[in-house]
Amino acid sequence: MSVALRVIPCLDVHDGRVVKGVNFQNLRDAGDPVELAARYSAEGADELTFLDISASSDARATTRDMVARCAETVFIPLTVGGGVRSVADVDALLRSGADKVGINTGALANPGVIDEIAAVFGNQVLVLSLDARREPGMASGYGVTTHGGRKSAGIDALAWAREAVERGVGEVLLNSMDADGTTDGYDLEMTAAVRDVVDVPLIASGGAGTVEHFVEAARVGVDALLAASVFHYGTLTISQVKAGLAEAGFEVR
């Protein structure tokens, strides 16, 4: 039985505002997170992903009151990431109103935290936020990055995705750092490579610019399509994306 594709706007938050740049550089203000969350919910978003992009680099926890305000405003699943390092961090975010929690830098520093979180909350709440880019020195050709794509983790992206799923993440959010914010299309090659090694739901992220880009990524076999710039700046609406996917033969919600 096929599962309907999810379309997910991503809210990258820095200092309490939604921002967007290209390859995480030259960030531009894109609005208030709670207002945008409400708009996307009304427009038919299936979920929202909320990433505090400065949480890890500034060594501070995600702003929980903002999560709580978003959760009070919208009634679709909310995934929250940024600065998550422990069972206690996950607990606090879930109590604030998150449905799922994304983990990246914290898990790279301590892979065992995935096992701990999954043991307490189950794998359905844990999303591996995988910021990857082409890195010729890696066995697969893809490496993991941290701190908003600014640092190489020195770890093969495919090996890490496999390990994280074995440890208990229930979903993988793959963000191509090479494609991020470019609006030139998803990194289909990298997405397909990750699809081949993980059996949990896969979310494609990074590079969407046209409806056709969403369709191309859907053909790779992902379960959800995430985008930011095209929605924030009004290039595309969620309903346009869903109509294009449906026209291409995909089931949408």
Side-chain angles (χ1 to χ4, degrees), residues 79-103:
T79 299
V80 185
V84 173
R85 294 180 181 83
S86 66
V87 168
D89 291 338
V90 174
D91 185 58
L93 287 170
L94 295 176
R95 287 176 189 275
S96 297
D99 297 278
K100 293 186 275 189
V101 174
I103 192 164

Side-chain angles (χ1 to χ4, degrees), residues 23 130-146 149-158 174-180 182 184-194 205-207 220:
N23 308 123
L130 177 59
D131 293 342
R133 68 179 176 209
R134 280 171 167 70
E135 209 170 311
M138 295 295 161
S140 69
Y142 303 109
V144 180
T145 70
T146 62
R150 293 192 292 276
K151 295 184 182 177
S152 168
I155 295 171
D156 185 276
L158 299 193
L174 172 65
N175 188 32
S176 166
M177 302 312 296
D178 299 317
D180 179 78
T182 63
D184 293 333
Y186 291 100
D187 189 329
L188 302 177
E189 195 179 13
M190 183 195 290
T191 305
V194 175
S205 168
V220 172

Side-chain angles (χ1 to χ4, degrees), residues 29-251:
D29 187 276
D32 175 76
V34 182
E35 287 173 12
L36 275 175
R39 188 182 104 197
Y40 291 140
S41 178
E43 287 177 5
D46 298 304
E47 293 183 13
L48 289 170
T49 292
F50 173 69
L51 299 175
D52 190 329
I53 62 170
S54 54
S56 292
S57 52
D58 297 349
R60 62 178 171 76
T62 308
T63 314
R64 294 184 185 114
D65 67 309
M66 196 190 313
V67 178
R69 287 189 295 127
C70 282
E72 284 165 10
T73 307
V74 303
F75 303 99
I76 54 177
L78 185 63
T79 299
V80 185
V84 173
R85 294 180 181 83
S86 66
V87 168
D89 291 338
V90 174
D91 185 58
L93 287 170
L94 295 176
R95 287 176 189 275
S96 297
D99 297 278
K100 293 186 275 189
V101 174
I103 192 164
N104 176 5
T105 309
L108 287 162
N110 172 24
V113 76
I114 296 175
D115 307 71
E116 293 167 19
I117 293 165
V120 175
F121 300 107
N123 67 355
Q124 75 282 352
V125 307
L126 195 55
V127 180
L128 178 71
S129 189
L130 177 59
D131 293 342
R133 68 179 176 209
R134 280 171 167 70
E135 209 170 311
M138 295 295 161
S140 69
Y142 303 109
V144 180
T145 70
T146 62
H147 298 82
R150 293 192 292 276
K151 295 184 182 177
S152 168
I155 295 171
D156 185 276
L158 299 193
W160 174 234
R162 234 185 336 246
E163 179 185 343
V165 170
E166 285 166 5
R167 286 181 177 275
V169 301
E171 194 164 55
V172 175
L173 165 55
L174 172 65
N175 188 32
S176 166
M177 302 312 296
D178 299 317
D180 179 78
T182 63
T183 66
D184 293 333
Y186 291 100
D187 189 329
L188 302 177
E189 195 179 13
M190 183 195 290
T191 305
V194 175
R195 176 73 289 171
D196 284 345
V197 299
V198 301
D199 57 2
V200 297
L202 177 63
I203 306 166
S205 168
T210 66
V211 170
E212 184 57 30
H213 291 156
F214 288 85
V215 173
E216 288 167 356
R219 289 192 179 118
V220 172
V222 299
D223 301 87
L225 299 146
L226 181 142
S229 306
V230 288
F231 296 142
H232 296 342
Y233 301 123
T235 312
L236 294 173
T237 63
I238 292 161
S239 57
Q240 282 175 315
V241 170
K242 288 190 170 186
L245 289 165
E247 202 174 307
F250 292 98
E251 188 185 340

